[in-house]
Amino acid sequence: MGATHLPSTEFDGTGIEDRLEAEAEARLGDPADPMVQLLAPDGTLGSDPVFSEYAERLDADKLRGFYADMAKIRRFDVEATALQRQGQLALWVPLTGQEAAQIGSGRASQPQDYIFPTYREHGVALTRNVDLAELLRQFRGVSNGGWNPKDTNFHLYTLVLAAQTPHAVGYAMGIQRDQKLAASAAAAAGNTGPAAEPQAAVMVYFGDGASSEGDVHESMVFASSYKAPVVFFCQNNHWAISVPTAVQTRIPLANRAKGYGFPGIRVDGNDVIAVHAVTEWALERARRGEGPVLIEAFTYRVGAHTTADDPTKYRESSEEEHWRAKDPLVRLETYLRAQGLADDAFFEQVRADGDELAAYVRKTTHDLETPDIRTAFANTYVEAHPLVAEELAWFEEYSAGFADEAEGAAN
Amino acid sequence: MTLHKFNLPDVGEGLTEAEIVAWNVKPGDTVAINDVLCEIETAKSLVELPSPFAGTVTELLVPVGRTVDVGTPIISVSDTAGPETAPEAAPAAAPAAPMYGKLEHGKLEHGNLAEEASDAGEPAGRPAGGPLVGSGPKADAVKRRRRVAASAARPPEAAGTAAASPAAASPAAATPAAAPAAGQEAVEAHDIWISPDAVAHADRPSAPAAGPAVDQRPTLGGAISGLVSKVLAKPPVRKIARDLGIDLADVTPTGARGEVTREDLVSYQAQRDAEVDKADTFWGKTGRPQEQRIERIPVKGVRKATARAMVESAFAAPHVSIFVDVDASRTMEFVKRLKASRDFEGIKVSPLLILAKAVIWAAARNPSVNATWVDNPDGSDTAEIHIKHFMNLGIAAATPRGLMVPNIKNAQDLSLKELALALNDLATTARAGKTQPAQMQGGTLTVTNIGALGIDTGTPIINPGEVAIVAFGTIKQKPWVLDGEVIPRWITTLGGSFDHRVVDGDLSARFMADVASILEEPALLLD
């Protein structure tokens, strides 16, 4: 038996593989591929048998708020990029193009929910009331995190791709157990009514690139098996740095959920109303204990992967143009104006607020203090630790041994 | 009024330098925060730099086309425009360089950014809060911080004495930190490279402290430098090449990123085997019909392009060819001396270098040979002759892909050494099959070195778009009559073909005589 009998990595053009291949191709290229969309790129509001009901919950204030959030975060993104170019940040991860996916989903979360972001969820951070200037601490290299996740239930940015997905599922399983404990305690105390604490869910963000990581697979297996209250929110922004989605998957990413045994929905990630509706539905479902949902927000990273990336080297500008036409802000503005829900004064105010935020962020970034190196030693253990104390002592002695430092002090 | 300097930031992760591609502002311009100041090109991308200051541009500190280290001040802006620019301005206000961890007592500045700035004698170059320039790995990571001479126990007093001049302090400090003179030398030494920046910057210890802050060297040939002498291949492929005794540079790479693949090696080896075998099996069996003994090779690619160009040139331009025998003994001596000279250490020097220099020199004296005949596109007979006041010297090269004529742009500006490097570069690139189309465009005059193959001379065909080509025959010892005596001398034959529409017989003769005179006496180049 020679090598010819070994299975080939390429389809050999016969039989079942051929058919499966053709089917996969058809699914991938199918323009009628189901994607939940309520607000079309031209700003007209459509309908959906399931999700229109959720969209109807949104009043004018909420819709204006969505717009203000999206405009604000885009302005913030521009400022942070400029700060990086001016040497004030080591790196920046722009989000432009993904505002609707982030604001829509973030606004659908409740305060008691816990959010695990990647490193690009600045929009979600805004909806969780994280101080955006704090967010820049890590990108300036003066902090390993930047904010206290307990304040906002918005976890620290995770820079390791997909590493946050098992964390999220673990957290969700923890919530399950806490609820069980609380219920049995309540039962023991004779209370049979609904739990006093609001039910919480977990939402975890990741991208099309991270979807290929083993962590995501493991997380989904656990989440499904334990019906964990977690929503997997995948922003398919089409590019994992320079790798196109086509290399990550041959089927819509949302379809993968079916294999794990929970619902997967592809939503127009540039339609803030649809994203909000779908996420609200999924989170409610999770809080009710009905298990995980995978949401694939179909969107596009209009800018670079990070400030260290140059997208012109791997994609055509025509593709960017194509997606710019689907801009999430433009379509909501069109809708708000057409419906008479917002006027020039409103949009002018939003712009002014954005500039104010930018100025605040700029000023705060310049003022960010570099923490004392001793905090690194101080925060290793909760209590004093002899080994750490020894290391600190050594470090102090070592540092004091430099002539130029003493010079600096003398000058 | 305060003057702010914007230091080149690290816009990527761990970049150490960038080139200023274009300035969008000029002195006197008013700029606001985030107005685009300039465009820079890094190893990763082309990036626009937004202004961190509002005010009036007072000076552009780095000209377009220059590559400078991260941290070098590139522009100065005075904040005369208004007080609203204050926050990030005011260098005096903030604590000095807090970016890299500072212990409470101000004793333990950690990391070398801060001290580097002070070493460079330009503390004012770092605005308040210390921009995070050069956040990545530093090119000068080898730099060591000076330790207190005696024991580490009582540092502050001891060190105070060694204060004022960092460079003049202890010998231990002087060595790694490179005193100004040493730094300059390093720069000089690297100047021999046609594209020295990459090398120089990587090696140069602590440049900001030692050498000039702004890199004065031209970035000539920078675009090519990345392509030469670095063959991409995966380790297993390298091993196979080593085992088979194949020089990877000889193999035409077809990998997606220009790397030599295993298949490339296999086909190279197959071709090599075939060539060796062919000698025996070339002739077809006599018994077989002739039809079956004819090998049909489709004409395509370079072969096709060459054929078309040659037909076009041979029939469009009336060629006149002339030849001259030259005593190149002095050229041979000169080449020998260059090879031995320290300046040319590590650089390949050949008689072709002298010929190239001679051709450039002679063309300046006979400009019509460096021209193009331009027919009127509408077909009327009002043609034009375009004399080129620059020399893009083409060198015909046999490459794995066929005949290529890449040219050295603005060869007239190159020193002998730069020309030598450019020739090496061009040859290496061509042999590696990596010549880019742009390198073959815009040639003005061509040299074909048929001597390399042991040929005395020939009638070369002019490269289309040009009006002259020089064939450089082999140089060998021949009997030569000098002062009535026959003595062995190094003799070569120069052949030249000229487009008679542009270059008349007397002009072509004068040009060839000029070239010959240089080969006979290279010292004339000193004219």
Side-chain angles (χ1 to χ4, degrees):
Chain A
M1 196 164 131
T4 47
H5 296 283
L6 292 172
S8 162
T9 51
E10 299 292 334
F11 293 115
D12 63 2
T14 54
I16 183 117
E17 288 96 342
D18 225 18
R19 214 181 67 230
L20 289 175
E21 168 89 338
E23 280 174 13
E25 291 282 344
R27 275 197 299 275
L28 200 62
D30 187 359
D33 209 18
M35 173 166 89
V36 178
Q37 184 188 70
L38 294 171
L39 194 59
D42 62 5
T44 53
L45 194 65
S47 70
D48 181 278
V50 180
F51 297 107
S52 280
E53 180 198 328
Y54 289 83
E56 281 156 20
R57 298 180 189 175
L58 298 168
D59 56 21
D61 260 357
K62 280 237 171 71
L63 289 174
R64 280 193 295 265
F66 287 172
Y67 183 87
D69 284 348
M70 294 199 292
K72 220 180 207 179
I73 207 65
R74 181 173 288 187
R75 179 68 185 84
F76 168 73
D77 198 45
V78 168
E79 196 65 18
T81 304
L83 283 168
Q84 198 282 334
R85 295 286 182 242
Q86 289 157 359
Q88 297 295 338
L89 299 177
L91 184 75
W92 183 242
V93 189
L95 67 75
T96 299
Q98 300 174 222
E99 295 89 348
Q102 298 195 3
I103 299 297
S105 58
R107 284 288 173 216
S109 68
Q110 297 286 331
Q112 74 273 16
D113 295 334
Y114 199 91
I115 312 292
F116 285 86
T118 68
Y119 42 72
R120 204 190 295 278
E121 270 66 72
H122 323 312
V124 185
L126 176 77
T127 67
R128 301 297 297 189
N129 297 322
V130 173
D131 182 343
L132 293 178
E134 297 262 280
L135 195 123
L136 295 181
R137 295 165 70 90
Q138 185 167 29
F139 292 97
R140 192 174 163 91
V142 299
S143 168
N144 293 326
W147 61 93
N148 184 351
K150 283 201 158 180
D151 296 341
T152 53
N153 275 6
F154 184 70
H155 200 70
L156 294 177
Y157 275 178
T158 298
L159 304 186
V160 178
L161 278 187
Q164 73 279 15
T165 51
H167 301 166
V169 173
Y171 197 99
M173 289 166 67
I175 289 177
Q176 269 182 323
R177 278 151 187 73
D178 284 350
Q179 284 170 352
K180 224 179 208 169
L181 202 66
S184 61
N191 290 340
T192 47
E197 289 285 309
Q199 303 284 295
V202 173
M203 179 151 57
V204 56
Y205 288 83
F206 60 102
D208 46 311
S211 74
S212 298
E213 296 270 341
D215 306 43
V216 171
H217 170 68
E218 292 161 26
S219 305
M220 290 185 175
V221 169
F222 266 96
S224 179
S225 304
Y226 288 86
K227 271 192 143 182
V230 57
V231 172
F232 294 98
F233 195 93
C234 175
Q235 287 173 86
N236 177 356
N237 71 11
H238 284 78
W239 288 96
I241 309 188
S242 58
V243 180
T245 345
V247 185
Q248 312 282 0
T249 181
R250 311 210 60 151
I251 57 166
L253 281 171
N255 290 11
R256 287 190 182 168
K258 203 187 289 177
Y260 295 104
F262 55 84
I265 300 172
R266 176 181 272 191
V267 59
D268 182 348
N270 287 10
D271 168 0
V272 70
I273 297 177
V275 171
H276 185 269
V278 169
T279 313
E280 194 159 56
W281 169 81
L283 283 170
E284 281 178 4
R285 189 177 175 282
R287 288 187 209 109
R288 282 198 305 268
E290 291 170 31
V293 172
L294 168 62
I295 299 172
E296 178 195 3
F298 203 67
T299 180
Y300 192 75
R301 187 193 81 215
V302 173
H305 169 71
T306 69
T307 45
D309 170 46
D310 180 0
T312 62
K313 290 191 174 160
Y314 52 80
R315 69 187 189 191
E316 308 249 323
S317 57
S318 60
E319 185 185 303
E320 290 171 22
E321 288 312 311
H322 170 76
W323 278 92
R324 275 181 206 281
K326 303 182 179 184
D327 191 303
L329 275 78
V330 172
R331 70 172 80 171
L332 184 57
E333 178 175 348
T334 311
Y335 176 73
L336 288 174
R337 285 184 188 277
Q339 299 295 310
L341 299 176
D343 53 10
D344 287 346
F346 166 76
F347 291 106
E348 191 43 53
Q349 184 60 42
V350 167
R351 244 185 303 281
D353 290 348
D355 288 344
E356 194 183 316
L357 172 70
Y360 162 72
V361 163
R362 169 169 291 270
K363 163 121 180 46
T364 318
T365 301
H366 281 273
D367 294 346
L368 282 178
E369 294 256 352
T370 304
D372 187 333
I373 188 92
R374 286 172 203 173
T375 57
F377 293 93
N379 293 334
T380 309
Y381 290 99
V382 174
E383 288 164 8
H385 191 284
L387 183 61
V388 174
E390 190 184 311
E391 285 172 350
L392 176 62
W394 180 89
F395 178 79
E396 299 228 12
E397 189 193 325
Y398 171 78
S399 305
F402 287 100
D404 42 3
E405 295 297 350
E407 249 174 70
N411 292 349
Chain B
M1 181 188 113
T2 322
L3 203 62
H4 305 297
K5 283 187 177 160
F6 182 23
N7 297 350
L8 182 73
D10 170 10
V11 295
E13 289 171 278
L15 297 172
T16 56
E17 60 176 15
E19 180 189 332
I20 308 288
V21 176
W23 278 108
N24 291 26
V25 295
K26 56 183 186 308
D29 284 0
T30 303
V31 292
I33 285 178
N34 293 348
D35 280 358
V36 174
L37 295 177
C38 61
E39 204 175 359
I40 61 169
E41 181 160 23
T42 71
K44 286 181 172 176
S45 54
L46 216 56
V47 162
E48 287 177 336
L49 290 188
S51 175
F53 316 119
T56 309
V57 177
T58 51
E59 201 183 348
L60 305 183
L61 302 170
V62 179
V64 164
R66 187 159 297 162
T67 300
V68 292
D69 286 339
V70 162
T72 307
I74 57 170
I75 185 173
S76 62
V77 176
S78 73
D79 65 353
T80 45
E84 77 276 12
T85 67
E88 70 287 315
M99 283 308 302
Y100 275 74
K102 195 170 173 181
L103 287 191
E104 292 146 24
H105 318 311
K107 266 188 195 168
L108 299 179
E109 274 184 15
H110 182 56
N112 54 18
L113 251 179
E115 56 181 314
E116 216 173 84
S118 55
D119 279 0
E122 46 180 33
R126 290 168 58 78
L132 200 54
V133 292
S135 59
K138 303 289 290 178
D140 57 353
V142 291
K143 186 180 172 187
R144 292 270 181 342
R145 295 171 62 204
R146 217 144 33 89
R147 298 304 304 252
V148 173
S151 95
R154 43 171 214 46
E157 305 85 308
T161 57
S165 156
S170 69
T175 327
Q184 297 265 351
E185 245 169 52
V187 175
E188 282 302 310
H190 286 304
D191 235 348
I192 59 172
W193 300 101
I194 183 167
S195 169
D197 304 67
V199 190
H201 284 264
D203 298 353
R204 215 163 64 199
S206 147
V214 172
D215 193 340
Q216 299 291 339
R217 290 154 302 154
T219 56
L220 180 92
I224 318 173
S225 67
L227 299 171
V228 296
S229 73
K230 199 167 174 197
V231 184
L232 296 176
K234 290 172 183 165
V237 175
R238 289 186 190 280
K239 177 167 189 319
I240 297 172
R242 212 165 36 240
D243 293 348
L244 293 174
I246 297 174
D247 181 356
L248 280 173
D250 296 340
V251 183
T252 312
T254 63
R257 285 157 198 84
E259 77 274 22
V260 174
T261 64
R262 186 186 297 254
E263 288 68 34
D264 295 340
L265 275 187
V266 169
S267 78
Y268 180 86
Q269 178 66 9
Q271 194 194 338
R272 212 165 60 158
D273 290 346
E275 275 164 15
V276 173
D277 296 347
K278 233 181 246 167
D280 296 330
T281 60
F282 177 74
W283 304 116
K285 272 221 177 76
T286 318
R288 298 169 68 184
Q290 277 194 8
E291 264 308 287
Q292 292 179 15
R293 284 187 281 158
I294 297 171
E295 186 183 356
R296 289 172 179 75
I297 301 167
V299 175
K300 55 188 179 187
V302 175
R303 178 84 266 142
K304 194 170 169 184
T306 304
R308 196 188 306 119
M310 290 301 103
V311 169
E312 183 192 317
S313 176
F315 291 99
H319 282 53
V320 55
S321 297
I322 58 175
F323 307 98
V324 54
D325 283 346
V326 188
D327 175 0
S329 302
R330 289 210 163 105
T331 292
M332 296 302 273
E333 282 167 31
F334 186 37
V335 166
K336 208 167 137 189
R337 281 203 304 277
L338 285 181
K339 278 180 177 165
S341 89
R342 262 187 60 201
D343 251 12
F344 280 71
E345 207 176 297
I347 305 176
K348 186 172 175 284
V349 181
S350 74
L352 179 64
L353 170 63
I354 313 303
L355 178 81
K357 200 73 188 166
V359 165
I360 297 166
W361 180 81
R365 292 160 60 101
N366 308 279
S368 302
V369 300
N370 196 41
T372 301
W373 172 276
V374 183
D375 280 314
N376 194 314
D378 64 14
S380 70
D381 59 354
T382 56
E384 280 184 343
I385 293 168
H386 293 179
I387 307 272
K388 312 283 176 64
H389 291 268
F390 54 89
M391 172 65 77
N392 291 346
L393 184 66
I395 305 289
T399 77
R401 288 192 284 162
L403 176 68
M404 300 263 166
V405 190
N407 57 70
I408 299 170
K409 303 278 190 278
N410 289 316
Q412 77 281 1
D413 293 338
L414 302 185
S415 70
L416 200 58
K417 189 155 74 179
E418 288 166 342
L419 190 61
L421 285 162
L423 281 169
N424 289 355
D425 236 17
L426 182 131
T428 321
T429 312
R431 266 202 302 275
K434 287 177 180 164
T435 304
Q436 301 299 309
Q439 290 172 288
M440 295 191 280
Q441 282 156 11
T444 60
L445 200 159
T446 296
V447 170
T448 172
N449 188 15
I450 57 175
L453 304 168
I455 301 301
D456 286 335
T457 192
T459 56
I461 295 179
I462 299 163
N463 201 24
E466 301 171 16
V467 298
I469 183 167
V470 177
F472 191 19
T474 189
I475 304 180
K476 57 187 170 198
Q477 282 198 313
K478 283 187 184 172
W480 190 256
V481 179
L482 204 69
D483 298 332
E485 283 189 54
V486 178
I487 50 165
R489 299 288 285 177
W490 291 97
I491 306 302
T492 184
T493 306
L494 294 179
S497 290
F498 301 87
D499 184 340
H500 214 312
R501 292 174 299 179
V502 180
V503 187
D504 288 336
D506 69 321
L507 186 76
S508 57
R510 267 190 276 132
F511 172 74
M512 289 298 279
D514 279 343
V515 174
S517 70
I518 296 294
L519 289 186
E520 276 176 355
E521 183 43 273
L524 288 177
L525 283 174
L526 296 174
D527 266 6

